[in-house]
């Protein structure tokens, strides 16, 4: 065999072995983080701050080459009840150990209530909840200009979804703080998150940012109707027609709302399929002003605010 070919084979084997070892280290790091979470739950339970919870899993996998990590067969256990929830699969991409990547995503598949939790519910509610599986998709991207793009979609079976996309501006201070926090050892992170100053520090950094644009979307494929019917059958809520009538009456009384937005709401109430709200502020809306309630000149009325935010509401 040619010496150069042998050299390439040796390099390939060495690289493969190194990658395998790196993956094992990453998997061990994930397992350690789960155990640290369990220890923190035990500590909080011992202090009487929460019930005793614990996490268990079937498998953990990592691929450092693609920055992809997954946890399968996750079980949430409560000491008094046993297994109360299961999650089929959690997959993360772009995540870095003790570092905050500028771009990452996560998928959570198959969140379901376990029999122990279902037993706490009335039979009709238990049967309804048992038919549900929640799924979530999350992603973010931090850009060099200080913008932070954040997206989330939460789904119930294939019957309902709530999603939103936000563009945040002037997030440099918040992102720097988040990066410094991510670089801390897990023990220091845990100690900081339970300290009195943590929330204040996060909110102070967040206050320097602003909301620029975004959208919120609801998509319904029979879930609303099914949930209302279940509640109505048990006498816990009016039937769908009654609820629709009440909603339409309330819409007609929303005087500041432009007629086009009223029409969209009316369309959705009569036929609840899809409702989308979009906004794009003329100038990014400062979180600090929102937190302090500081008045914004020219935005004293709902009509002015709708125009400033360029609010648009569309249905179906």
């Amino acid at each position: 065999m040619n010496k150069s070919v042998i050299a390439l084979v040796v390099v390939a084997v060495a690289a493969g072995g190194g990658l395998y070892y790196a993956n094992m280290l990453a998997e061990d790091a994930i397992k350690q983080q789960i155990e640290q979470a369990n220890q923190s739950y035990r500590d909080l339970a011992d202090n009487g701050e929460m019930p005793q919870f614990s996490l268990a899993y079937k498998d953990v996998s990592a691929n450092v080459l693609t920055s992809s990590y997954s946890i399968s067969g996750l079980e949430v256990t409560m000491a008094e009840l046993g297994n109360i929830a299961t999650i089929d699969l959690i997959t993360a991409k772009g995540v870095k150990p003790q570092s905050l990547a500028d771009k990452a995503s996560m998928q959570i598949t198959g969140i379901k209530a376990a029999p122990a939790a279902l037993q706490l519910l009335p039979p009709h509610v238990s049967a309804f909840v048992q038919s549900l599986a929640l799924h979530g998709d999350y992603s973010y991207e931090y850009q060099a200009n200080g913008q932070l793009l954040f997206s989330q979609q939460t789904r119930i079976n294939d019957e309902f979804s709530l999603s939103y996309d936000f563009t945040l501006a002037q997030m440099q201070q918040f992102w720097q703080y988040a990066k410094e926090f991510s670089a801390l050892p897990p023990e220091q992170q845990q100690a900081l998150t339970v300290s009195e100053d943590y929330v204040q520090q996060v909110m102070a950094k967040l206050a320097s940012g602003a909301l620029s644009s975004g959208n919120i979307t609801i998509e319904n494929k029979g879930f609303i109707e099914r949930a209302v019917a279940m509640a109505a059958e048990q006498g816990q809520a009016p039937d769908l027609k009654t609820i629709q009538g009440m909603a339409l009456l309330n819409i007609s009384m929303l005087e500041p709302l432009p007629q086009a937005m009223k029409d969209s709401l009316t369309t959705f109430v009569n036929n609840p399929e899809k409702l989308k709200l979009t906004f794009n502020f003329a100038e990014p809306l400062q979180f600090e002003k929102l937190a302090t309630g500081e008045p914004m000149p020219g935005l004293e009325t709902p009509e002015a605010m709708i125009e400033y935010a360029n609010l648009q509401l569309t249905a179906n």
Side-chain angles (χ1 to χ4, degrees):
M1 184 181 294
N2 188 288
K3 291 183 178 180
S4 61
V5 174
I6 295 176
L8 287 173
V9 171
V10 171
V11 170
V13 171
L19 180 59
Y20 176 77
Y21 181 67
N23 290 343
M24 287 188 60
L25 290 179
E27 291 170 4
D28 288 342
I30 295 172
K31 295 174 182 177
Q32 289 173 10
Q33 290 180 341
I34 295 174
E35 179 50 39
Q36 287 168 356
N38 283 333
Q39 183 59 55
S40 68
Y41 298 152
R42 288 192 289 268
D43 293 340
L44 291 170
D46 291 342
N47 294 332
E49 298 179 38
M50 64 176 287
Q52 176 66 66
F53 287 96
S54 64
L55 304 175
Y57 55 88
K58 290 183 179 178
D59 189 35
V60 169
S61 66
N63 187 329
V64 297
L65 193 62
T66 59
S67 297
S68 301
Y69 310 89
S70 67
I71 304 172
S72 61
L74 192 68
E75 296 183 352
V76 182
T77 300
M78 186 174 177
E80 296 82 356
L81 297 174
N83 183 11
I84 60 171
T86 60
I87 303 175
D88 291 342
L89 182 65
I90 299 176
T91 303
K93 190 168 184 178
V95 180
K96 298 179 180 179
Q98 284 191 248
S99 177
L100 182 61
D102 287 338
K103 182 179 180 180
S105 62
M106 177 181 292
Q107 290 184 319
I108 303 177
T109 305
I111 305 175
K112 303 172 185 175
L118 294 171
Q119 291 174 5
L120 301 176
L121 303 173
H124 63 283
V125 178
S126 175
F128 180 78
V129 173
Q130 191 174 17
S131 71
L132 306 180
L134 273 67
H135 316 278
D137 296 328
Y138 313 87
S139 65
Y140 71 83
E141 180 179 353
Y142 179 75
Q143 300 180 334
N145 61 0
Q147 284 192 336
L148 178 60
L149 313 181
F150 186 79
S151 299
Q152 175 178 335
Q153 183 187 63
T154 301
R155 305 185 307 282
I156 301 176
N157 299 344
D158 58 353
E159 300 175 277
F160 184 86
S161 70
L162 170 64
S163 59
Y164 57 79
D165 297 273
F166 293 148
T167 298
L168 309 180
Q170 304 165 22
M171 297 298 291
Q172 292 91 335
Q173 291 187 36
F174 175 82
W175 199 250
Q176 182 59 36
Y177 178 83
K179 276 187 169 292
E180 292 171 357
F181 177 85
S182 300
L184 296 174
E187 297 81 4
Q188 287 184 252
Q189 292 183 14
Q190 179 64 28
L192 183 58
T193 54
V194 298
S195 69
E196 296 180 357
D197 297 334
Y198 176 69
V199 174
Q200 294 180 351
Q201 292 174 1
V202 172
M203 295 305 296
K205 299 299 181 183
L206 187 59
S208 64
L211 179 61
S212 180
S213 62
N215 65 76
I216 303 172
T217 305
I218 294 173
E219 292 191 68
N220 174 59
K221 297 180 180 178
F223 176 77
I224 293 176
E225 295 89 335
R226 191 160 74 92
V228 170
M230 182 273 297
E233 287 174 3
Q234 302 301 318
Q236 297 175 340
D239 61 23
L240 183 60
K241 288 295 183 183
T242 302
I243 292 176
Q244 287 174 319
M246 295 168 59
L248 292 173
L249 178 61
N250 289 330
I251 291 170
S252 67
M253 298 171 63
L254 295 174
E255 293 300 333
L257 211 61
Q259 188 59 46
M261 297 182 75
K262 287 185 179 181
D263 292 344
S264 293
L265 285 174
T266 299
T267 299
F268 180 76
V269 169
N270 285 322
N271 184 21
E273 293 182 351
K274 182 176 181 180
L275 188 66
K276 183 174 184 179
L277 174 71
T278 63
F279 57 90
N280 187 2
F281 291 101
E283 292 291 337
L285 191 61
Q286 299 290 330
F287 291 136
E288 185 174 15
K289 291 183 178 180
L290 288 175
T292 60
E294 180 182 339
M296 291 174 279
L299 301 179
E300 292 84 1
T301 65
E303 294 87 348
M305 192 65 188
I306 289 172
E307 182 178 356
Y308 181 79
N310 189 27
L311 281 177
Q312 303 289 330
L313 189 64
T314 57
N316 302 346

